[in-house]
Amino acid sequence: MRIVFFITDKKQFTGFSNSDVNQKVYEFFPEYPFLKSDPNKKLMTLKNLLEMKSGVDCEEFNGTKDCEEGMEWSKNWVKYALELPMKNKPGIEWSYTSMDPVILSGVISKATGMSVMDFADKYLFKPLGISKYRWTLDPSGNAMTGGSFYIRSVDLIKLGQLVKDKGIYNRKQVISKKWIVESTLCDIAIPDFSNMKSSRSKAGIPSLLFTAITGTGKG
C-alpha cells in the first residue's frame, strides 16, 4: 500500500513552499542538474508523483515496462528513478510505477533533513503506537517507499482507521484532514481496466475506465 501523508504542522516540512504539491521536483535535487536541463523533467511536480503521472518511461500495471528490477540492482534507488528517461510530459498520462513514490522518498528526506524511516517513525508510527515494522533499504540507505514494507495486520488496521477518521487518532489530529480528503479522491481515470475483468460474476459488466484513489497502489 502506498499512501503519502502530509503532517498537520507545516513547519515540519522546512523544504516545502507551504507544503505546495505544485512545487517542482528538481528544486529538491540541486546535485542533479539534468533534472533542470531536461525539458520534461523540469516540469515534474510533487503532485505528478503523487498521482503517478510523472511521465517516466516505466509501467508495472500491465507489466509492459517494469523498472523496479533494474532499480533493485542499483546502489541508489532514488538516483536511479530520477535518471530514468521520460516517455510523456508530466501530468498527462497515468502510469503505475514504483518509481514515483521512490522519488517522493528522496523529496521527503531533502525537505525534512531526516531519513524517511526517522520521519515516519516520529510523525506517524509513534503517534499511532506502532513499533514493529521493517523497511527494505537500498545499499545507500534509502527506504523503499514503493512497496516491500512489512507491518503487522493489527497495525495496518490503525492506518486504515486513521484515514477513516480523517487523520485523527486518540483525539489527536495526526494527519491533516484536508490532506486525507484530497489524497483519497477517486478522480484519476485508468483506461481499459475494470475489476470486473477478473470477476467470476456473470452479472458484472466490465467498464472501459477504472477510477483510482490517488497516492495508492499495490502492497
Side-chain angles (χ1 to χ4, degrees):
M1 180 173 64
R2 300 166 182 164
I3 301 178
V4 180
F5 295 110
F6 272 17
I7 309 303
T8 304
D9 185 1
K10 292 181 179 180
K11 292 180 181 178
Q12 295 167 3
F13 287 86
T14 56
F16 286 94
S17 299
N18 295 321
S19 298
D20 183 5
V21 294
N22 294 308
Q23 192 166 355
K24 297 293 192 297
V25 172
Y26 76 80
E27 296 177 20
F28 297 92
F29 302 96
E31 69 272 32
Y32 301 137
F34 61 83
L35 293 175
K36 194 172 181 179
S37 60
D38 186 299
N40 280 330
K41 289 187 178 183
K42 184 179 180 180
L43 300 174
M44 190 187 299
T45 65
L46 304 184
K47 183 177 181 180
N48 297 149
L49 296 174
L50 290 166
E51 294 185 341
M52 288 196 173
K53 292 184 178 181
S54 64
V56 172
D57 191 13
C58 294
E59 199 288 309
E60 299 165 25
F61 199 69
N62 293 316
T64 54
K65 194 165 186 179
D66 189 342
C67 297
E68 193 168 332
E69 184 176 351
M71 180 193 73
E72 291 174 351
W73 285 98
S74 68
K75 294 182 178 180
N76 187 319
W77 294 347
V78 175
K79 184 174 183 288
Y80 174 89
L82 289 169
E83 289 179 337
L84 287 167
M86 300 290 286
K87 181 180 180 181
N88 302 299
K89 182 179 177 181
I92 301 299
E93 184 176 319
W94 180 89
S95 181
Y96 184 88
T97 173
S98 296
M99 301 303 102
D100 289 2
V102 166
I103 294 173
L104 277 170
S105 74
V107 170
I108 291 173
S109 294
K110 290 282 188 174
T112 64
M114 304 169 64
S115 69
V116 170
M117 298 83 76
D118 289 341
F119 181 80
D121 182 64
K122 182 175 182 179
Y123 295 114
L124 181 61
F125 295 139
K126 281 185 177 177
L128 267 60
I130 298 175
S131 59
K132 294 184 179 180
Y133 53 84
R134 178 164 61 87
W135 294 92
T136 298
L137 306 179
D138 73 5
S140 298
N142 296 308
M144 173 53 163
T145 48
S148 300
F149 177 79
Y150 304 90
I151 187 171
R152 299 186 306 169
S153 298
V154 66
D155 291 328
L156 190 60
I157 291 173
K158 291 182 180 180
L159 294 175
Q161 190 67 43
L162 182 71
V163 174
K164 181 179 181 294
D165 293 338
K166 299 297 187 291
I168 296 176
Y169 186 78
N170 281 344
R171 300 181 180 180
K172 179 181 179 182
Q173 192 77 48
V174 178
I175 305 297
S176 163
K177 178 180 179 180
K178 180 176 181 289
W179 181 248
I180 292 291
V181 172
E182 291 182 2
S183 63
T184 53
L185 286 174
C186 297
D187 60 352
I188 297 179
I190 303 174
D192 193 31
F193 176 78
S194 170
N195 282 327
M196 292 308 302
K197 284 188 176 183
S198 56
S199 174
R200 296 181 180 180
S201 172
K202 295 181 180 180
I205 301 175
S207 172
L208 295 177
L209 290 176
F210 176 80
T211 306
I213 297 176
T214 58
T216 67
K218 65 183 179 182

